[in-house]
Amino acid sequence: MSEPRIIVALDFDHAKTALDFCKKLSPQLCRLKIGKELFTAAGPAIIEKLTHQGFDIFLDLKFHDIPTTVAKACKAACELGVWMINVHASGGRKMLMAAREAVPQNSTRLIAVTVLTSLNEHDLHEIGFSNSPQELVLKLAHLTQDCGLNGVVCSAQETTALRKELGRNFCLVTPGIRLIDNIKTDDQERVTTPHQAIANGSDYLVIGRPITQSPDPYQTLLDIQRSITS
Ligand code: C5P
């Protein structure tokens, strides 16, 4: 089987709930994303347990601080043996370069968040950015690539443009995925189906609630896997 392109977002507030849920999944079919909520509640121990079970972990802590602090945080995250980590591209060139230097090439993948999908044009203007969200995403993605990072987190609706501008080898990770028969969007503004996201050029799909709230998570995972390989 080819490498898993589905990353299940473990948005749980307790280690036991997350571990029980992961018994319904398979490392052959998916990777796992641990974010601020679960990591704050459960700490590095949950990474160790899930890695031991064969899962690759994307540690989604979105570091954003002065260069030295971010570099040290990235180094500590790599030492947990995770598959991928991330920082905010808006931390700027010096911060991105410091993060790159702290993470050995060909070890943990290092990607950057461009513009949070919760921000619209008005929000950006209010905090002093004059670009549209799309312009800013492109600008920050170019900066991220220029600093030698492996890729960015972006909306699947932006992947076609980013893929064209940034080339085949730049990793595009896309949340905001909804299944065709499950059009509930929750708090996601711009959603895309798994098949469309892959067709647009996404490398990895971050999927939370469509899997975590499914009555049969394993079957949902299988269905999504089939839809992206068809
Ligand atoms: O599929 P669902 O909407 O439940 O996925 C939510 C997950 O996607 C959360 O873990 C959130 O952190 C992540 N995410 C996002 N938008 C971004 C980056 C990450 O929704 N721009």
Side-chain angles (χ1 to χ4, degrees), residues 67 70-72 74-75 78 85 87 92-112 143-151 170:
V70 166
K72 287 181 177 170
C74 286
K75 183 169 178 285
C78 287
I85 61 170
V87 298
R93 181 179 292 276
K94 282 184 277 184
M95 193 207 82
L96 293 170
M97 300 286 283
R100 178 68 283 172
E101 274 169 36
V103 179
Q105 296 277 2
N106 305 318
S107 66
T108 300
R109 284 166 189 245
L110 175 63
I111 63 170
L143 176 66
T144 301
Q145 189 175 51
D146 205 35
C147 293
L149 275 69
N150 303 104
F170 198 61

Side-chain angles (χ1 to χ4, degrees), residues 15-48:
K16 185 170 180 332
T17 325
L19 290 167
D20 286 347
F21 175 76
C22 291
K23 288 182 190 147
K24 300 173 189 164
L25 307 177
S26 148
Q28 275 72 48
L29 279 183
C30 66
R31 293 177 156 112
L32 304 174
K33 180 173 91 69
I34 295 180
K36 291 184 176 87
E37 182 186 15
L38 184 58
F39 190 73
T40 304
I46 190 153
I47 294 179
E48 200 181 328

